[in-house]
DNA sequence: TCTGGGGTCCTAGGACCC
DNA sequence: TCTGGGGTCCTAGGACCC
């Protein structure tokens, strides 16, 4: 059987686990932005009960947040990744599961030894208890024949208190479970496909699983067929993750719109620097650099423009200045005057390991080595004295000064798992 | 005033080859 | 009337995930 472990309200649970006095209070995590908040990314049970939803722009729900004294945390991805690793560690060290796989920051899959249903529940309860005791993160568990069915089981485990967070779906339980599952809650069915399915009269996972394979293949192609097989109990999904990340993206939505090329180009340079740093962290090099810019899609009164351009590098590299140069070249290829831009970003692709970098015959090996040393040195300085203490001239731009009124008050950033000054002291 | 930031996989169609 | 036929590779864009 496949076991699926899903951390409940993960980001919010992480914050609460480090601030236990907040247990039982409404807590949300939103991505922080200087103008007073982006959107809500995660919510505790109590916050959900107030009618707050994932994806709500913070400014739209300000009243509700204040009225109920909701605690608002700025998203701190590094911390969540760190806690996610601890959850993994607890499960792996328990020795209770086989083929443990991390699917995302808050979801894991594993294989369980064969047992009766009652024994399975007891067995998984042990794992659940170990995680909750060891990390403070509550989890829900689903167990079934395939990955997709295990996620169906987790859907039930989360939804009905009676399961106490653990739901097992055996062959004989599957029909009933699928009949009760709306098609749009099936893993692999997104917001584009769901309405199409509705129009075809396919309203539940069961309806979908009952269609002939040829029909599914014709209408929904390979991904659709995979989901179809999985729902029928036949494994078809492979989640063994590719060894290395294939693309690295860095993008931001700005607080204010701008049409100024110099400002945008400095933003692009900063994103390129961040992406290059990430590239070096995982000991990789890239060969293609894409820049993209977008206007504000929420402003129907303004003219819209979105575009992207890619520059292919002569040699695979992780050198900041080469990547910045390519990113800016790509940017100027697509920049158009007269639009109000709201978002920009860059994507690094054709990523490979830096062990054996294929060198251009004419490349200057000595210069490459100097560049590499320069990168190592700047990374070290920035690591020690703070981000961007040393930077490229291209990264400098004039900060727009605005102090918006009516801001939602965020909790301060605290890195309790990585920064010695923030580590919790137990008395 | 204010609306996220990452990723992966698949397919169709164009360019090119013989 | 009728305009080959079989490949491969690459890219853009769409769909999905959290």
């Amino acid at each position: 059987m496949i076991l699926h472990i899903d951390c409940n309200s993960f980001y919010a649970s992480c914050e609460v686990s480090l601030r236990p006095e907040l247990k039982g209070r409404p807590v949300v995590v939103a991505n922080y932005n200087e103008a007073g908040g982006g959107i809500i990314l995660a919510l505790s049970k109590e916050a959900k009960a107030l009618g707050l939803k994932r994806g709500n722009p913070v400014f739209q729900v300000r009243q509700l947040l204040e009225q109920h004294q909701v605690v608002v945390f700025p998203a701190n991805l590094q911390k969540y990744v760190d806690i996610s690793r601890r959850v993994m560690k607890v499960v792996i060290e328990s020795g209770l599961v086989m083929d443990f796989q991390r699917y995302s920051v808050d979801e894991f899959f594993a294989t369980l030894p064969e047992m009766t249903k009652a024994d399975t529940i007891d067995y998984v309860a042990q794992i659940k208890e170990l995680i909750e005791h060891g990390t403070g993160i509550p989890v829900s568990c689903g167990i079934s024949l395939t990955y997709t069915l295990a996620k169906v089981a987790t859907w039930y485990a989360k939804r009905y208190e009676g399961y106490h967070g653990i739901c097992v779906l055996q062959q004989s339980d599957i029909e009933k479970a699928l009949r009760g599952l709306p098609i749009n809650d099936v893993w692999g069915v997104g917001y584009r496909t769901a309405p199409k399915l509705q129009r075809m009269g396919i309203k539940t996972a069961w309806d979908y699983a009952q269609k002939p394979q040829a029909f599914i293949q014709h209408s929904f192609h390979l991904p659709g067929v995979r989901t179809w097989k999985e729902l029928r109990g036949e494994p078809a999904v492979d989640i063994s993750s590719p060894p290395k990340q294939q693309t690295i993206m860095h993008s931001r939505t700005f607080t204010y719109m701008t049409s100024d090329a110099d400002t945008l180009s400095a933003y692009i340079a900063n994103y390129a620097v961040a992406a290059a740093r990430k590239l070096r962290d995982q000991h990789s090099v890239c060969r293609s650099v894409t820049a993209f810019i977008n206007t504000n899609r929420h402003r129907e009164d303004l003219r819209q423009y979105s575009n992207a351009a890619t520059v292919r590098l002569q040699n695979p590299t992780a050198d900041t200045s080469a990547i910045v140069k390519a990113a800016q070249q790509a940017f100027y290829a697509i920049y158009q005057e007269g639009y109000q831009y709201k978002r920009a970003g860059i994507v690094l692709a054709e990523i490979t390991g830096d062990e054996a970098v294929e060198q251009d015959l004419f490349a200057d090996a000595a210069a490459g080595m100097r560049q590499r040393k320069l990168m190592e040195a700047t990374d070290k300085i920035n690591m020690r004295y703070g981000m961007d203490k040393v930077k490229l001239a291209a990264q400098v731009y004039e900060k727009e000064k605005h102090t918006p009124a009516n801001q939602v008050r965020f909790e301060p950033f605290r890195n309790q798992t990585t920064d010695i000054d923030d580590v919790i002291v137990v008395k």
Side-chain angles (χ1 to χ4, degrees):
Chain A
M1 296 286 262
I2 304 284
L3 165 65
H4 175 236
I5 301 174
D6 192 324
C7 301
N8 301 341
S9 314
F10 186 55
Y11 295 177
S13 297
C14 286
E15 298 298 350
V16 172
S17 79
L18 297 165
R19 292 275 303 278
E21 77 276 14
L22 296 178
K23 218 173 219 169
R25 297 263 318 266
V27 170
V28 308
V29 173
N31 54 339
Y32 181 80
N33 124 9
E34 288 159 8
I39 63 169
I40 293 180
L41 299 171
L43 324 76
S44 69
K45 261 206 320 282
E46 295 77 10
K48 282 177 193 157
L50 298 174
L52 293 165
K53 293 224 157 33
R54 194 187 133 85
N56 284 151
V58 170
F59 77 91
Q60 277 177 8
V61 293
R62 214 190 82 234
Q63 290 247 318
L64 206 54
L65 293 173
E66 279 168 12
Q67 189 186 331
H68 296 277
Q69 298 182 26
V70 178
V71 185
V72 183
F73 283 95
N76 188 335
L77 271 297
Q78 225 195 327
K79 178 154 73 187
Y80 310 144
V81 169
D82 197 39
I83 293 177
S84 170
R85 290 208 186 100
R86 295 175 190 208
V87 173
M88 281 175 70
K89 195 157 173 264
V90 168
V91 179
I92 291 169
E93 287 179 359
S94 76
L96 294 170
V97 303
M98 302 170 284
D99 308 324
F100 184 85
Q101 287 176 302
R102 175 149 108 149
Y103 172 67
S104 74
V105 72
D106 67 334
E107 285 181 57
F108 312 90
F109 286 104
T111 308
L112 290 179
E114 215 158 312
M115 286 174 270
T116 64
K117 185 165 177 175
D119 286 345
T120 303
I121 293 176
D122 289 346
Y123 196 85
V124 173
Q126 265 187 75
I127 299 172
K128 184 171 177 324
E129 166 62 21
L130 280 172
I131 297 171
E132 296 182 358
H133 184 78
T135 65
I137 303 296
V139 297
S140 300
C141 302
I143 301 97
S144 194
L145 304 174
T146 62
Y147 291 118
T148 306
L149 286 171
K151 286 195 58 135
V152 172
T154 305
W155 187 86
Y156 280 98
K158 282 191 177 215
R159 208 166 212 83
Y160 300 103
E161 297 268 327
Y163 287 111
H164 301 290
I166 300 173
C167 172
V168 180
L169 293 179
Q170 287 180 318
Q171 187 69 55
S172 54
D173 306 317
I174 291 174
E175 175 170 348
K176 192 173 170 214
L178 296 189
R179 283 189 186 278
L181 181 66
I183 187 66
N184 47 302
D185 285 336
V186 172
W187 191 32
V189 176
Y191 74 106
R192 298 283 307 199
T193 317
K196 192 171 158 190
L197 287 162
Q198 295 284 353
R199 280 198 299 278
M200 293 171 161
I202 300 170
K203 297 195 162 51
T204 66
W206 180 252
D207 296 339
Y208 187 81
Q210 291 317 107
K211 290 283 170 196
Q213 180 171 357
F215 167 81
I216 300 290
Q217 165 73 46
H218 178 257
S219 308
F220 307 104
H221 311 288
L222 216 137
V225 171
R226 279 209 276 257
T227 300
W228 180 83
K229 285 185 175 169
E230 287 253 324
L231 287 174
R232 297 166 65 96
E234 182 188 338
V237 167
D238 176 19
I239 65 148
S240 55
S241 46
K244 227 162 206 164
Q245 213 174 309
Q246 295 169 32
T247 60
I248 290 176
M249 167 150 86
H250 195 90
S251 74
R252 286 291 178 272
T253 298
F254 326 133
T255 322
Y256 299 92
M257 296 186 283
T258 179
S259 55
D260 180 48
D262 290 341
T263 305
L264 287 166
S265 132
Y267 284 160
I268 292 278
N270 279 284
Y271 305 156
V273 169
R277 191 179 291 134
K278 199 169 164 198
L279 191 64
R280 289 195 297 275
D281 281 348
Q282 59 175 53
H283 303 288
S284 300
V285 289
C286 75
R287 181 130 199 209
S288 112
V289 180
T290 301
F292 61 87
I293 47 178
N294 306 131
T295 49
N296 187 348
R297 66 195 161 91
H298 299 286
R299 290 289 298 272
E300 279 165 21
D301 55 320
L302 295 176
R303 288 192 307 147
Q304 301 287 321
Y305 175 70
S306 289
N307 207 348
T310 300
V311 168
R312 198 138 188 286
L313 300 160
Q314 275 258 296
N315 293 300
T317 185
D319 173 32
T320 296
S321 52
I323 290 171
V324 166
K325 212 166 126 187
Q328 292 194 312
Q329 191 187 329
F331 163 71
Y332 281 108
I334 50 172
Y335 172 75
Q336 301 247 350
E337 271 181 59
Y339 290 98
Q340 293 290 315
Y341 295 97
K342 180 68 178 166
R343 179 164 175 259
I346 83 146
V347 180
L348 306 182
E350 292 184 67
I351 292 172
T352 49
D354 67 359
E355 315 82 30
V357 176
E358 214 182 303
Q359 284 291 331
D360 182 322
L361 261 182
F362 304 99
D364 178 348
M369 189 54 81
R370 280 200 299 275
Q371 208 54 46
R372 204 172 167 133
K373 289 212 155 132
L374 177 62
M375 285 305 105
E376 278 171 21
T378 51
D379 282 350
K380 272 189 190 154
I381 293 169
N382 287 332
M383 186 82 83
R384 184 154 171 190
Y385 297 104
M387 280 302 173
D388 293 332
K389 272 284 176 288
V390 180
K391 58 180 156 190
L392 297 171
Q395 287 176 260
V396 181
Y397 58 91
E398 283 193 43
K399 236 186 173 148
E400 291 174 85
K401 290 193 178 57
H402 293 279
T403 320
N406 295 326
Q407 273 204 30
V408 167
R409 203 185 79 82
F410 276 81
E411 292 292 310
F413 281 95
R414 294 249 185 277
N415 298 310
Q416 298 98 327
T417 64
T418 49
D419 188 335
I420 194 69
D421 295 328
D422 286 334
V423 165
I424 298 169
V425 178
V426 178
K427 291 184 183 163

